[in-house]
């Protein structure tokens, strides 16, 4: 089959590799119909995720058609169209039973930090991902959601990752009605966090980024106020001042380990690798949010450590909440929001490419060129 | 509350309408889940980090470890994942992996070219001495 493969930092290409096979009775093989590039893939592309092996196929956001079924799969039939959560969750372990599907203990031998994830290095289990013509999907009766007849694949695609992630970002902010919410990062995850904050009854939502076209997009798509942090002297003071000098009730970090904005953190974390990336936005969230407020972290950070102001958080009495998204819990609910017109998920797609052009798509998305917000790839056979 | 600027505003105002509230719910198997999970068999080498008791029943088998990078990865997985050296050795192994692949790709032309250069060097020195 044709598949995207990792060749080393900043380098991916599309090449032939063997088709995946059923390796467990609860597996299915999916023929991929649509697959997206996520902000998380950029951390892999940039060589920041430990145990990313040359030849690895990325891709944890995809829809597909069931092609081959393992002997124990009962809920799916050949030909079913499905969207798949990025977490590989068994449905029966201690964590899955409690709804913490991102912490499943039955899919990742390599680390206790996270469960198995498609196409996300050997640190999350060594599964090849969906930026390919075919992909192996374990625990197929638990994860995949059937796409309703009449709904396009692209409308359902983001149920596998960024839509639930943005939603969970707002949910962890514990909005009760009328709160002021600042979302750092106007990428796909941030955009869905903004829309979700409105769904939960936020009173005022402000987006922070440094890429002007993305802020303009957020203003249109999520009806938020925006700030370009490069255009103000001190983003923390600026935001505090907006809210009576106290700061907002909730700050959401939808940026993660590759944040711009602090040379020191970038040198330490991305250059010298003395910490796991640049926790600039996490620091800004803690400094900006009002005392007793809520910081919700969905931007990805990695082990083993980061330089962040835990003392400030402690003294301000903050609540910090964070997680990889427990995707499966949110899919049905958010599908309903899409169907009833409360969320236009497909509306964030700005670029479509064939799988063959994936390296170009990565470049565009990573460099924030040509107004790129979200890239979707289509394999040749789809 | 200010004007409702976008469709569905406050539709999920009620916390009980949010799928992840409370984050940890009373234990119950997920729809479609099957017990017991049969263990996956694999012919390729898959590492388990030292802090984990047993192998999980399901795992990925992509890109089995090879060469010097494989050896380094084996060393890294000999440490539990709360040890910084586990991660540092993995990052080192990743760089070695890239160089191994570059060398392997360069070998078909690099080896003959190096041979020709060496022979030319020897011939030239002989000729210069003569
Ligand atoms: N928790 C999860 O389950 C989960 C799931 C999906 C993605 N993520 C993570 O969410 C993050 C965002 O994903 P995305 O797809 O939107 O990525 P993206 O790279 O498209 O967006 C990130 C945005 O942050 C902006 N940014 C950079 N520095 C900033 C700063 N200091 N302040 C404000 N904005 C800044 C960038 O300009 C960019 O627009 C990534 O870290 C990704 O790994 C987490
Ligand atoms: Zn993702
Ligand atoms: Zn589980």
């Amino acid at each position: 089959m044709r598949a995207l493969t990792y060749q080393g930092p900043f380098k991916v290409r599309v090449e032939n590799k063997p088709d995946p096979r059923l390796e467990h009775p609860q597996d299915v093989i999916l023929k991929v119909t649509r697959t997206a590039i996520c902000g998380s893939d950029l951390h892999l592309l940039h060589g920041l995720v430990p145990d990313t092996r040359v030849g690895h196929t990325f891709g944890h956001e995809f829809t597909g058609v069931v092609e081959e079924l393992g002997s124990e799969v009962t809920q799916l039939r050949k030909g079913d169209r499905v969207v798949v959560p990025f977490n590989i969750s068994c449905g029966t372990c201690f964590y899955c039973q409690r709804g913490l599907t991102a912490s499943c203990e039955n899919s990742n031998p390599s680390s206790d930090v996270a469960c198995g994830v498609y196409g996300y290095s050997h640190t999350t289990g060594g599964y090849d991902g969906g930026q390919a013509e075919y992909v192996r999907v374990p625990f197929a009766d638990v994860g995949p959601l059937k796409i309703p007849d009449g709904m396009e694949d692209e409308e359902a695609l983001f149920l596998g990752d960024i839509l639930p992630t943005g939603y969970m970002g707002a949910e962890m902010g514990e909005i009760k009605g009328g709160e002021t919410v600042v979302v750092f990062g106007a990428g796909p995850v941030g955009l869905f966090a903004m829309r979700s904050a409105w769904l939960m009854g936020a009173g005022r939502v402000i987006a922070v980024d440094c890429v002007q076209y993305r802020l303009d997009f957020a203003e249109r798509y999520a009806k938020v106020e925006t700030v370009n942090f490069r255009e103000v002297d001190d983003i923390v003071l600026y935001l505090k001042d907006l809210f009576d000098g106290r700061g907002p009730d909730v700050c959401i970090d939808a940026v993660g380990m590759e944040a711009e904005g602090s040379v020191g953190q970038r040198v330490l974390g991305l250059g010298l690798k003395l910490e796991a990336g640049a926790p600039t936005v996490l620091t800004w969230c803690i400094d900006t949010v009002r005392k007793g407020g809520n910081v919700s972290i969905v931007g990805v950070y990695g082990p083993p450590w980061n330089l962040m102001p835990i003392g400030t958080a402690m003294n301000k009495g903050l609540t910090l909440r964070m997680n990889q998204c427990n995707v499966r819990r949110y899919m049905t609910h958010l599908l309903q929001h899409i169907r009833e017109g409360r969320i236009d998920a497909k509306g964030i797609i700005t670029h479509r490419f064939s799988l063959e052009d994936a390296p170009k798509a990565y470049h565009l998305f990573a460099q924030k060129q040509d107004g790129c917000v979200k890239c979707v790839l289509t394999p040749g056979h789809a | 509350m200010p004007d409702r600027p976008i469709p569905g505003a406050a539709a999920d105002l009620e916390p009980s309408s949010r799928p992840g509230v409370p984050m940890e719910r009373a234990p119950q198997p997920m729809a479609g889940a099957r017990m017991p999970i049969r263990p996956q068999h694999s012919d390729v080498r898959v590492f388990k980090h030292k802090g984990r008791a047993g192998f999980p029943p399901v795992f990925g088998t992509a890109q089995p470890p090879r060469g010097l990078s494989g050896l380094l990865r084996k060393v890294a997985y000999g440490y539990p994942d709360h040890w910084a050296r586990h991660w540092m050795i993995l990052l080192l192994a990743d760089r070695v992996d890239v160089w191994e692949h570059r060398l392997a790709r360069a070998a078909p032309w690099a080896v003959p070219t190096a041979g020709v250069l060496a022979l030319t060097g020897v011939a030239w020195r002989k000729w210069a001495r003569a």
Side-chain angles (χ1 to χ4, degrees):
Chain A
M1 66 166 179
R2 302 290 289 165
L4 174 117
T5 60
Y6 174 72
Q7 299 298 319
F10 300 90
K11 200 151 189 269
V12 286
R13 68 169 181 228
V14 178
E15 59 185 2
N16 291 319
K17 69 193 276 183
D19 287 354
R21 16 171 225 101
L22 297 170
E23 298 187 50
H24 186 267
Q26 296 195 42
D27 287 358
V28 299
I29 301 297
L30 219 60
K31 184 174 172 181
V32 177
T33 52
R34 289 288 185 281
T35 175
I37 303 176
C38 178
S40 304
D41 291 328
L42 300 181
H43 313 321
L44 289 169
L45 176 72
H46 297 156
L48 295 170
V49 182
D51 210 355
T52 304
R53 301 187 188 172
V54 174
H56 194 55
T57 295
F58 300 164
H60 56 269
E61 262 185 315
F62 50 89
T63 58
V65 176
V66 177
E67 178 84 8
E68 234 183 298
L69 293 140
S71 59
E72 289 182 355
V73 177
T74 58
Q75 308 295 311
L76 295 176
R77 300 268 169 281
K78 191 168 181 231
D80 280 347
R81 285 191 309 135
V82 295
V83 52
V84 180
F86 75 79
N87 338 89
I88 300 174
S89 317
C90 73
T92 60
C93 72
F94 179 93
Y95 296 109
C96 284
Q97 291 227 20
R98 286 163 176 76
L100 306 177
T101 61
S103 304
C104 177
E105 49 191 10
N106 279 334
S107 58
N108 182 13
S110 323
S111 166
D112 291 342
V113 172
C115 73
V117 176
Y118 298 96
Y120 213 75
S121 85
H122 280 64
T123 288
T124 64
Y127 298 87
D128 267 337
Q131 288 164 10
E133 290 184 305
Y134 296 91
V135 61
R136 169 193 172 207
V137 173
F139 300 118
D141 280 339
V142 180
L145 175 81
K146 284 188 207 167
I147 302 174
D149 291 338
M151 188 180 221
E152 294 169 31
D153 290 351
E154 278 184 3
E155 280 180 281
L157 176 59
F158 302 137
L159 288 171
D161 179 2
I162 49 172
L163 177 51
T165 299
Y167 187 94
M168 187 167 145
E171 196 185 65
M172 291 191 298
E174 298 176 1
I175 297 163
K176 295 178 193 71
E179 280 87 345
T180 51
V181 179
V182 170
V183 179
F184 289 90
V189 170
L191 290 168
F192 285 136
M194 296 166 207
R195 291 288 294 245
S196 304
W198 288 129
L199 283 175
M200 291 171 202
R204 197 170 167 194
V205 183
I206 295 179
V208 180
D209 204 300
C210 54
V211 178
Q212 192 56 42
Y213 79 77
R214 288 195 165 195
L215 289 170
D216 297 341
F217 192 94
E219 216 170 298
R220 287 194 306 275
Y221 178 80
K223 307 282 189 288
V224 292
E225 300 162 61
T226 61
V227 190
N228 185 330
F229 70 78
R230 296 229 196 267
E231 285 170 11
V232 297
D233 283 340
D234 181 324
I235 186 68
V236 173
L237 287 183
Y238 178 88
L239 291 167
K240 280 186 159 179
D241 281 349
L242 273 187
F243 304 102
D244 306 325
R246 284 193 203 101
D249 302 305
V250 179
C251 280
I252 300 176
D253 174 351
V255 179
M257 66 196 289
E258 291 192 69
E260 305 279 344
S262 160
V263 175
Q265 294 275 24
R266 285 187 73 88
V267 169
L268 273 180
L270 301 171
L272 302 174
K273 308 261 182 324
L274 293 177
E275 59 172 336
T280 309
V281 166
L282 179 50
T283 305
W284 286 354
C285 285
I286 290 173
D287 288 336
T288 302
V289 78
R290 73 163 168 82
K291 290 173 195 168
N294 235 287
V295 174
S296 164
I297 311 166
V298 283
V300 162
Y301 295 93
W305 53 59
N306 278 107
L307 269 182
M308 50 86 85
I310 194 68
T312 306
M314 184 272 158
N315 283 287
K316 287 174 76 172
L318 305 185
T319 300
L320 304 186
R321 295 192 60 190
M322 61 207 93
N323 207 182
Q324 291 283 356
C325 185
N326 301 307
V327 174
R328 191 62 186 86
R329 290 177 85 163
Y330 296 91
M331 292 173 100
T332 320
H333 183 72
L334 294 173
L335 177 75
Q336 210 55 29
H337 278 325
I338 296 174
R339 297 186 89 178
E340 287 166 21
R342 287 186 286 267
I343 290 184
D344 168 21
K346 205 177 130 186
I348 67 162
I349 303 175
T350 51
H351 289 75
R352 292 176 176 82
F353 292 96
S354 79
L355 176 64
E356 296 299 319
D357 288 331
K360 199 167 125 195
Y362 264 92
H363 183 76
L364 214 71
F365 182 57
Q367 300 306 314
K368 320 255 182 300
Q369 289 173 353
D370 195 32
C372 183
V373 174
K374 187 75 179 175
C375 291
V376 172
L377 309 172
T378 309
H381 60 212
Chain B
M1 217 180 295
D3 61 327
R4 306 197 157 171
I6 99 174
D12 288 352
L13 179 62
E14 189 49 53
S16 63
S17 68
R18 304 175 190 168
V21 178
M23 198 172 198
E24 197 164 322
R25 64 170 189 220
Q28 99 199 39
M30 290 165 67
R34 169 185 279 266
M35 281 283 267
I37 305 170
R38 285 207 254 156
Q40 176 181 333
H41 295 288
S42 165
D43 300 330
V44 310
R45 184 94 200 248
V46 174
F47 295 129
K48 168 182 88 55
H49 82 99
K50 187 67 181 294
R52 201 190 146 99
F55 239 81
V58 168
F59 47 82
T61 54
Q63 299 86 44
R66 280 171 36 183
L68 179 59
S69 57
L71 208 67
L72 285 167
R73 283 170 176 142
K74 183 175 173 205
V75 173
Y77 282 102
Y79 300 107
D81 71 349
H82 64 282
W83 286 35
R85 77 183 65 161
H86 168 87
W87 302 106
M88 296 309 177
I89 300 172
L90 284 177
L91 278 178
L92 174 67
D94 291 351
R95 300 301 172 261
V96 171
D97 191 0
V98 172
W99 278 106
E100 281 175 323
H101 277 81
R102 276 190 199 154
L103 285 176
R105 211 168 314 129
W109 56 266
V111 172
T113 313
V116 169
L117 284 178
L119 284 177
T120 320
V122 171
W124 190 81
R125 243 178 285 144
K126 270 210 175 134
W127 174 80
R129 238 184 278 140

